[in-house]
C-alpha cells in the first residue's frame, strides 16, 4: 500500500465533516465551497463534491435554494438543515475525541 | 473549418465543436452510467450546470463556439470519471489502488474457442497466442498422439468460463464493480447485434451451427498444416533437383542420356524457367496453408500479382525453350541412332 493511498483514505473519511463545516457558516454554492477549502489548504477535486452534496441532501442534512446568476444558469446555494446541524455537532465531537486520543498516543 | 453541434446545458444553448461534443458526451455518459437513475440525474444536472457556467465565460463575439480545449479544461478542473465515481463506491475497492493484479485461473474459453476452448483457455492463462497452443497440439500428433489424450483430459477437467466473473478470472482482471459493469456492457452490446439476425431453424440450428463451424475451422487448420509441411518439402525437393540440373549437369553422376547434346545456354534458361514455373505454384500453396492456419488471408495483393506475373513469364519461357531443346535433342538422338546402326552394319559386314 502506498502512503498516498492511506493519506487519501484519511482525507476521504473527514470530507463529509469538512463540507458540513463550511456550509454551516452561510449559504454557499459549490465553487465557493472549493475556494474556501483551498484557502485552508484543503484541495478537493470539484467532481467529487457533486455526488457528496447529493448524498448529504438526500440524507436530509442539506437543503438548497436557487439564485439567479449573471454569467450562466441559476446556482444552487446550500445550507444546513436542523438534522444537518445536529450531525455537524456530533461529527465535531468525534473529531475532538479522535484528536485528543491521537495527541495522548503521541505523547507517551 | 469544423462542424458544430447545438447543445443545451442546464437550459442554456451552446454551439460546441464536434470533437468537444464527443469528448463531453463521453465524459457525461460515463458519469451517468455509474450512478443509479435517481441520484445520477441530479449529479449530472449539477455538473452540466457547472459546465454551462464555465463555458459561458468562454463565449464572446470573437469566439462563439465551445472548443475541445474548453471541454478538456472543464474536465481537468472537474476531475476524472474515476475521481467522481470513486468517491461513492467504497464497497468496490478491494485495495486502495483498485488495480491489483490477480492470479489467473485456468478455464476453458468459450469465446475464443475453436472446438472446446481448451487451447484458448491455456493461451489466456499463459498469456500467449492461442495459435501457438493449437500448433503444439497438432504437432504432437506426429509424435505419438499424446496431444489428443492431454486435450481430452483437459477438456473434461478444466471448467468452462460461463459467468462474467469467471471470464474475468480467466483473463486475470480484478473482479470489482467497475470491471464487471464494463464486461456486462460489452456483452450486452454484442447480444444486441446477434438479436437482429433471424434464425430459420431456431434451437437445433443454434446448437449445431457453432459445432459445425468449429469442426470446419479445425479441419481447415489441419489442412493448412499439411499444406505448409507438404509444400515446404516439395520446395526443398525440387530445389535440389533443379540445382543439380543447373550446376551439376556435367557431372558423371547424373545419368540421363544425350545430355551432352543439350548443354547450352538455352538449356540453363529452360531449366530456370521450368523451376520457377513449378516453384511459384508450390510457394503459393504454402501461403494458402499459412492463411488457413492463421484464419486470415496472408498474401498481399501486390505480392500476389507479382507471383502471378512471374509465373506467367516462366510458363511462356518454358513454352519457348522447351520445344527448341526437345527438337535439338531429338535431332541429336536421331543422328546418334543413325551412326550406331551404321557402325553395326559395318561390323556385321566385316564379320562375314
Amino acid at each position: 500500500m502506498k502512503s498516498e493511498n492511506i493519506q487519501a483514505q484519511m482525507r476521504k473519511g473527514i470530507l463529509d465533516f469538512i463540507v458540513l463545516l463550511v456550509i454551516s457558516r452561510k449559504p454557499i454554492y459549490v465553487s465557493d465551497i472549493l475556494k474556501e477549502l483551498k484557502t485552508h489548504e484543503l484541495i478537493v477535486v470539484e467532481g467529487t463534491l457533486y455526488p457528496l452534496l447529493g448524498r448529504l441532501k438526500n440524507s436530509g442534512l442539506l437543503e438548497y435554494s436557487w439564485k439567479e446568476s449573471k454569467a450562466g444558469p441559476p446556482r444552487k446555494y446550500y445550507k444546513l438543515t436542523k438534522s444537518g446541524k445536529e450531525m455537524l455537532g456530533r461529527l465535531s465531537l468525534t473529531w475532538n475525541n479522535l484528536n485528543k486520543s491521537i495527541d495522548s498516543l503521541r505523547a507517551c | 473549418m469544423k462542424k458544430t453541434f447545438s447543445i443545451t446545458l442546464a437550459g442554456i444553448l451552446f454551439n460546441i465543436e464536434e470533437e468537444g461534443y464527443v469528448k463531453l458526451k463521453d465524459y457525461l455518459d460515463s458519469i451517468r452510467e455509474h450512478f443509479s437513475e435517481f441520484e445520477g440525474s441530479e449529479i449530472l444536472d449539477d455538473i452540466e450546470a457547472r459546465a454551462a457556467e464555465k463555458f459561458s465565460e468562454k463565449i464572446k463575439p470573437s469566439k462563439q463556439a465551445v472548443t475541445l480545449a474548453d471541454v478538456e479544461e472543464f474536465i481537468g478542473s472537474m476531475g476524472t470519471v474515476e475521481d467522481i465515481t470513486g468517491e461513492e463506491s467504497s464497497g468496490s475497492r478491494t485495495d486502495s489502488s483498485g488495480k491489483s493484479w490477480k492470479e489467473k485461473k485456468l478455464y476453458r474459453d468459450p469465446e475464443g474457442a475453436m472446438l472446446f476452448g481448451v487451447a484458448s483457455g491455456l493461451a489466456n492463462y499463459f498469456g500467449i497466442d492461442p495459435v501457438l497452443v493449437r500448433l503444439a497440439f497438432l504437432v504432437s500428433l506426429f509424435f505419438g498422439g499424446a496431444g489428443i489424450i492431454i486435450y481430452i483430459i483437459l477438456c473434461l477437467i478444466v471448467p468452462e468460463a460461463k459467468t462474467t466473473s469467471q471470464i474475468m478470472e480467466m483473463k486475470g482482471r480484478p473482479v470489482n464493480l467497475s470491471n464487471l459493469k464494463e464486461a456486462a456492457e460489452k456483452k450486452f452490446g454484442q447480444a444486441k447485434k446477434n438479436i437482429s439476425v433471424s434464425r430459420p431453424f431456431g434451437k437445433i440450428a443454434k446448437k449445431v451451427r457453432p459445432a459445425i463451424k468449429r469442426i470446419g475451422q479445425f479441419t481447415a487448420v489441419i489442412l493448412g498444416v499439411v499444406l505448409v509441411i507438404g509444400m515446404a518439402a516439395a520446395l526443398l525437393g525440387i530445389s535440389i533437383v533443379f540445382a543439380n540440373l543447373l550446376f551439376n549437369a556435367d557431372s558423371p553422376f547424373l545419368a540421363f542420356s544425350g545430355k551432352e547434346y543439350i548443354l547450352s545456354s538455352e538449356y540453363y534458361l529452360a531449366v530456370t524457367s521450368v523451376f520457377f514455373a513449378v516453384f511459384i505454384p508450390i510457394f503459393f500453396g504454402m501461403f494458402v496453408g499459412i492463411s488457413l492456419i492463421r484464419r486470415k488471408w496472408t498474401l498481399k495483393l501486390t505480392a500476389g500479382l507479382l507471383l502471378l506475373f512471374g509465373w506467367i513469364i516462366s510458363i511462356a519461357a518454358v513454352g519457348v525453350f522447351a520445344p527448341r531443346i526437345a527438337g535439338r535433342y531429338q535431332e541429336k538422338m536421331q543422328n546418334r541412332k543413325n551412326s550406331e546402326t551404321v557402325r553395326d552394319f559395318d561390323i556385321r559386314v566385316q564379320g562375314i
Side-chain angles (χ1 to χ4, degrees), chain A residues 1 5 9 12 15-16 29 31 45-48 50-52 55 57-58 64 69 71-73 75-76 78, chain B residues 10 12 35 38-39 42-43 46-47 49-50 52-54 56 77-79 83-84 87-88 93 96-97:
Chain A
M1 255 188 157
N5 294 330
Q9 290 296 330
K12 277 217 171 99
L15 199 53
D16 287 7
Y29 86 115
S31 265
V45 174
E46 181 167 355
T48 57
Y50 294 106
L52 189 150
R55 189 165 41 82
K57 187 212 84 180
N58 290 332
Y64 61 80
S69 120
R75 295 170 174 168
K76 276 183 183 170
Y78 288 95
Chain B
I12 303 204
F35 293 103
F38 171 62
E39 47 175 10
E42 196 161 5
I43 294 173
D46 286 344
I47 295 182
R50 185 70 183 122
E53 223 174 31
K54 281 221 138 162
S56 297
S77 72
M78 267 306 201
D83 286 335
I84 300 177
E87 206 275 331
E88 291 300 300
R93 288 186 167 267
S96 36
S97 71

Side-chain angles (χ1 to χ4, degrees), chain B residues 332-349:
Chain B
K332 298 281 184 176
M333 287 310 284
Q334 199 58 34
N335 285 345
R336 187 154 87 153
K337 240 193 178 169
N338 288 342
S339 59
E340 276 175 2
T341 36
V342 168
R343 244 184 290 139
D344 270 347
F345 185 67
D346 273 346
I347 294 172
R348 260 187 256 137
V349 165

